Amino acid sequence: MIKPKVSIIMPVYNTAEYLEEAVESVLNQTIEDIEFIIINDGSSDGSLDILKKFSGRDNRIILIDKKNEGSSIARSIGLSKASGDFIYFMDSDDLLESDALEKCYVKANEFNLDLILFDAISFNDESLFDASTFNYVKKGLFPETIMSGPDMAYKLLVKGLFRVPPWIHFIKRELIVDNKMDFYPGIVNEDELFFTRVYFFAQRCLYLPEIFFKRRLRPNSTMTSEFSPKRSRSYFVIIDQFNRDDFTDRPLLKKIRKILISNIVNGVAYQSSSLLFKERMNVVLGFARRGLLHLISMKNLLVLFFPFLLSLKARFRKIIFAGFCGKGNIY
C-alpha cells in the first residue's frame, strides 16, 4: 500500500445533518493520496449509517466506531492510526476548499515546513449568529515569511491574531510523533493546549493567506455553546499544563506562556459572569490558588464579582442609542 501524503482526522458526534457535505469536501480534494480517518464518537442520530455508506465506496476511509468519550480521545485515536506525511484535523459539520490540502502539501514540501497556517471564514445557515465576529482571516495583517513556531506564535499574540482551532493548521506528522504530542482527555477547548504546543516545537512555519476552510456556526456546537463550569475547569487544566513546561532556557516561550495565561485568565473571568454565584466563586478560588488574581484587569474583575454591570451597560447603551435616534428624527 502506498503511504498517504496526508492523513485527515475527523471526529463525528451527532452531525448527521451536515455530515455528507463535510465528508465530500474531503473526498473531493484534488490531492488523491490521502487517508481519511473518521472516528464516530458514539453518535445516536444516524451519523454512523452515513459514514458506513461512504466507507463502503471509498477505500481511503478508515472508519472507527466507539462509545462517546469526547473529541480529545477521538482525535488521539485518529493520531495513533495516522501514517501520512502530514496531518490535518477536520470537523464534521464544516467545509474544506477542494484544493486546500494539495496547495498546503506542495508548499510544505517545497520549503520543508513543519506547520502551515491558513485562513478561514465563518458562515451560518439560519442567521442565528453574526459570522463576522468569528474571524480567522489574517491577510494583509501578518507576514508571509518562514519563521519558527515560537516567533509566529509571539507575533500573532502581539497582533491579537492568535487562534488555535484545528482546521487552520496543516502539520508535519513527524513533529507530532517526535514530541509525543497528544490531546489531553476529558476537557473542552483541548485545542488550545495541543496546537499551542505545536507552535512551541515547530521550527519552520509559514502563513498562507488563502481561505481554505468554511466554519459553520450552529446551535449547541462547542464554539457557540454557553460558558459552563466544565469549561472553566478545563481552562484551569490548560493553565496547569502550560506551567508544567520548563522554559528555563527559552525566554521567548516563557514570554508567550505569560501572555497566553493572562489572556485565558481574563477571558475566563469575563465569561464567568454568566455562571451562578457559587460557580463564580469557585473560579475566583481557582485563580487564587494559582496566584493569578493579579492578572485580571479591573474591568473583568468587576464583571466577575458584579455581573449585573453588563446588563446595566447594555441598557445604558440602548437608552443612549434610542435618544440619539430620536434626536435625529426631530431634525
Side-chain angles (χ1 to χ4, degrees):
M1 182 178 178
I2 299 174
K3 182 181 179 182
K5 294 176 179 176
V6 185
S7 297
I8 301 98
I9 297 171
M10 175 192 282
V12 175
Y13 179 69
N14 288 350
T15 52
E17 183 178 353
Y18 316 105
L19 191 54
E20 289 191 19
E21 271 191 295
V23 171
E24 284 175 351
S25 76
V26 173
L27 295 179
N28 291 335
Q29 289 294 301
T30 54
I31 186 172
E32 296 183 354
D33 300 336
I34 64 172
E35 64 177 3
F36 190 7
I37 305 169
I38 308 177
I39 305 95
N40 180 55
D41 192 35
S43 296
S44 57
D45 68 341
S47 290
L48 181 59
D49 292 334
I50 295 171
L51 294 174
K52 284 180 177 178
K53 289 179 183 177
F54 275 109
S55 65
R57 62 175 186 253
D58 197 315
N59 60 13
R60 296 176 299 174
I61 293 178
I62 300 171
L63 177 57
I64 300 167
D65 182 31
K66 58 180 285 299
K67 66 179 182 179
N68 178 247
E69 295 176 291
S71 58
S72 292
I73 292 176
R75 287 192 179 118
S76 292
I77 290 173
L79 276 177
S80 71
K81 303 293 184 182
S83 61
D85 295 325
F86 293 89
I87 298 288
Y88 180 70
F89 294 95
M90 178 72 182
D91 278 2
S92 61
D93 53 352
D94 301 323
L95 302 173
L96 188 64
E97 291 296 322
S98 61
D99 59 351
L101 298 182
E102 181 171 19
K103 284 186 174 180
C104 286
Y105 180 82
V106 169
K107 189 72 70 173
N109 274 299
E110 181 181 359
F111 295 105
N112 189 27
L113 302 174
D114 296 317
L115 173 67
I116 289 179
L117 171 68
F118 54 81
D119 289 338
I121 57 172
S122 299
F123 73 99
N124 62 80
D125 296 329
E126 302 173 0
S127 300
L128 296 174
F129 308 99
D130 180 6
S132 64
T133 61
F134 297 87
N135 185 5
Y136 304 94
V137 178
K138 296 165 283 296
K139 187 174 183 178
L141 302 172
F142 196 76
E144 302 168 33
T145 56
I146 296 173
M147 60 187 78
S148 72
D151 282 339
M152 177 175 275
Y154 182 70
K155 286 181 171 65
L156 288 166
L157 280 166
V158 169
K159 291 177 176 289
L161 298 172
F162 188 72
R163 306 284 187 275
V164 284
W167 23 263
I168 57 175
H169 298 93
F170 186 82
I171 312 165
K172 182 180 286 187
R173 188 172 69 91
E174 185 180 4
L175 174 74
I176 296 172
V177 173
D178 289 350
N179 292 287
K180 299 180 173 60
M181 297 182 61
D182 220 337
F183 288 88
Y184 195 99
I187 64 172
V188 292
N189 297 95
E190 70 278 359
D191 304 333
E192 298 203 23
L193 186 59
F194 182 91
F195 288 94
T196 298
R197 284 179 166 165
V198 168
Y199 283 94
F200 286 173
F201 294 123
Q203 298 298 312
R204 294 177 60 81
C205 308
L206 179 68
Y207 163 59
L208 197 57
E210 295 204 44
I211 299 172
F212 286 146
F213 189 82
K214 294 180 180 178
R215 172 61 161 149
R216 187 190 305 270
L217 300 180
R218 60 181 178 85
N220 303 317
S221 68
T222 301
M223 177 179 286
T224 57
S225 60
E226 292 185 357
F227 194 76
S228 65
K230 180 178 181 180
R231 187 164 292 198
S232 67
R233 291 192 296 270
S234 295
Y235 276 118
F236 282 127
V237 170
I238 291 169
I239 290 171
D240 292 341
Q241 290 298 307
F242 280 149
N243 280 326
R244 289 181 60 185
D245 294 326
D246 183 9
F247 296 143
T248 305
D249 301 322
R250 304 185 70 181
L252 181 56
L253 291 186
K254 289 178 70 174
K255 187 182 294 188
I256 292 169
R257 176 172 60 188
K258 184 177 180 180
I259 298 172
L260 284 170
I261 290 177
S262 178
N263 289 349
I264 291 172
V265 166
N266 278 281
V268 170
Y270 183 84
Q271 293 180 84
S272 293
S273 62
S274 63
L275 302 179
L276 299 174
F277 176 78
K278 182 179 179 181
E279 294 165 347
R280 283 188 283 116
M281 291 307 99
N282 285 334
V283 170
V284 172
L285 286 173
F287 289 145
R289 290 183 187 123
R290 293 166 176 82
L292 300 173
L293 285 173
H294 70 285
L295 296 178
I296 308 176
S297 70
M298 182 56 67
K299 181 191 78 172
N300 291 329
L301 197 61
L302 286 171
V303 167
L304 176 59
F305 280 99
F306 309 108
F308 64 88
L309 292 174
L310 285 177
S311 58
L312 285 178
K313 181 180 178 182
R315 189 179 303 174
F316 181 73
R317 282 182 173 177
K318 188 175 182 180
I319 292 170
I320 294 297
F321 180 74
F324 176 78
C325 290
K327 183 177 179 180
N329 290 334
I330 291 172
Y331 293 96

